[in-house]
């Protein structure tokens, strides 16, 4: 996994400052959660790392290289969104392969790469299914495969479980922990759910109103009520 360095980043939307002045180092291969209430700037930070949003000022480096000038599809970073964002008229395999088209991967490599990604999320048996024939958890795993197929150095997860019911959410937590352990990719995981962050992360960044309030391992963050 890649090491992500965020230097003095700031984001204004007109008069409103969403991110005030934020420094953060995400270690190579760690599972880092961004935790905080709605509106504190988690998604804005994630979108700037992904390249969907331009910082007002500051720098973002991946393994020491400035990625701020790269368009989203050229960044070695991929995102799993809240909603699955799967194309309904395409099979799982076609959905996953779609992620490779822009990257100009050789045709002969597409099949093996898609199989590899589906294997990582244990969805090999569902390659030919349409999304409407999958459960919520399977759809989210297909979306994960699509994000992994480009072999990103950092995976960004924007509340990926919020559309799932409690039972599926717990399954998905375990699935993500297993996946992270298996592939050693750097994960940046956005959530407003403290329990979820505590259960899954190596470290937690607590955000509030556009700033980092606290950062540390679960034991350091957790305060018994
Ligand atoms: P979170 O993900 O923690 O819920 P966001 O990053 O979505 O927070 O939002 C941070 C703040 O920036 C909020 O006050 C939100 O209303 C504001 N904001 C987010 N996106 C935009 C936008 N495109 N235009 C204006 N304000 C925005
Ligand atoms: P979340 O809280 O899950 O990040 P939101 O529902 O706040 O999502 O925002 C959804 C979309 O609307 C995002 O693209 C965000 O950038 C945009 N947005 C959020 N707040 C504002 C705002 N105050 N003005 C304009 N766009 C906004």
């Amino acid at each position: 996994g890649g090491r992500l360095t965020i230097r003095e980043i700031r984001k204004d939307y007109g008069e409103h400052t969403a991110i005030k002045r934020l420094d953060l180092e995400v270690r190579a291969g760690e599972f880092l959660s961004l935790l905080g209430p709605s509106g504190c700037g988690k998604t804005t930070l994630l979108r700037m790392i992904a390249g969907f949003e331009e910082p007002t000022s500051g720098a973002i480096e991946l393994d020491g290289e400035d990625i701020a000038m790269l368009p989203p599809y050229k960044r070695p970073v991929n995102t799993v969104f809240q909603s699955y964002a799967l194309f309904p008229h395409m099979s799982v395999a076609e959905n996953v392969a779609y992620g490779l088209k822009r990257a100009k991967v050789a045709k002969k490599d597409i099949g093996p790469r898609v199989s590899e990604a589906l294997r990582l999320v244990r969805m090999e048996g569902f390659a030919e299914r349409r999304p409407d024939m999958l459960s919520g958890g399977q759809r989210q795993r297909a979306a994960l495969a699509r994000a992994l197929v480009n072999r990103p150095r950092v995976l960004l997860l924007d509340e990926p479980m919020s559309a799932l019911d409690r039972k599926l959410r717990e399954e998905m937590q375990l699935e993500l922990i297993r996946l992270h352990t298996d592939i050693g990719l750097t994960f940046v995981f956005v959530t407003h759910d403290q329990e979820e962050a505590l259960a899954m992360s190596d470290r937690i960044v607590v955000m509030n109103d556009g700033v980092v309030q606290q950062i540390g391992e679960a034991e350091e963050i957790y305060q018994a009520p």
Side-chain angles (χ1 to χ4, degrees):
R3 172 175 52 90
L4 200 57
T5 311
I6 292 154
R7 289 187 207 281
E8 294 188 20
I9 211 160
R10 179 187 175 97
K11 179 65 183 179
D12 297 329
Y13 291 109
E15 299 281 283
H16 178 72
T17 302
I19 301 285
K20 279 173 185 154
R21 183 183 190 277
L22 194 144
D23 286 281
L24 179 64
E25 173 119 351
V26 187
R27 298 168 185 159
E30 85 170 319
F31 194 136
L32 184 92
S33 288
L34 303 178
L35 173 69
S38 183
C40 74
K42 306 180 296 293
T43 302
T44 299
L45 179 58
L46 211 70
R47 289 172 60 82
M48 289 193 288
I49 298 169
F52 303 135
E53 207 78 71
E54 202 182 327
T56 303
S57 60
I60 301 175
E61 293 167 14
L62 185 58
D63 296 322
E65 182 203 355
D66 187 354
I67 60 168
M69 304 315 284
L70 298 176
Y73 71 95
K74 284 193 175 163
R75 295 188 186 199
V77 165
N78 252 329
T79 311
V80 181
F81 299 96
Q82 246 170 61
S83 51
Y84 317 108
L86 296 170
F87 297 112
H89 59 290
M90 292 184 189
S91 69
V92 166
E94 287 164 345
N95 265 286
V96 175
Y98 188 87
L100 291 173
K101 296 280 158 66
R102 280 194 94 155
K104 293 187 178 131
V105 170
K107 255 207 172 111
K108 67 169 174 46
D109 296 330
I110 289 180
R113 289 280 289 274
V114 169
S115 301
E116 174 196 54
L118 290 177
R119 200 163 50 243
L120 283 174
V121 299
R122 298 188 295 187
M123 285 285 285
E124 307 97 306
F126 299 89
E128 299 314 320
R129 292 260 184 112
R130 296 280 173 91
D132 64 352
M133 298 300 286
L134 299 175
S135 70
Q138 289 167 342
R139 279 180 210 161
Q140 196 50 287
R141 273 149 63 198
L144 258 176
R146 193 168 68 178
L148 293 170
V149 75
N150 284 325
R151 297 177 181 161
R153 276 184 269 162
V154 177
L155 188 66
L156 307 174
L157 302 118
D158 189 1
E159 305 220 24
M161 270 100 88
S162 59
L164 306 177
D165 66 28
R166 187 189 161 81
K167 184 170 168 290
L168 270 177
R169 215 158 51 226
E170 284 168 5
E171 274 178 40
M172 197 69 201
Q173 281 186 13
L174 295 176
E175 184 71 24
L176 285 175
I177 294 168
R178 182 195 61 78
L179 184 68
H180 179 257
T181 307
D182 279 2
I183 63 182
L185 187 61
T186 308
F187 278 21
V188 182
F189 180 84
V190 161
T191 183
H192 60 263
D193 183 335
Q194 171 167 303
E195 265 181 65
E196 200 167 85
L198 290 170
M200 300 177 75
S201 331
D202 294 317
R203 286 194 305 154
I204 299 172
V205 175
V206 181
M207 291 180 65
N208 195 18
D209 203 14
V211 298
V212 172
Q213 204 167 49
Q214 208 183 349
I215 177 165
E217 292 175 14
E219 310 81 72
E220 302 169 64
I221 298 290
Y222 183 67
Q223 305 282 336

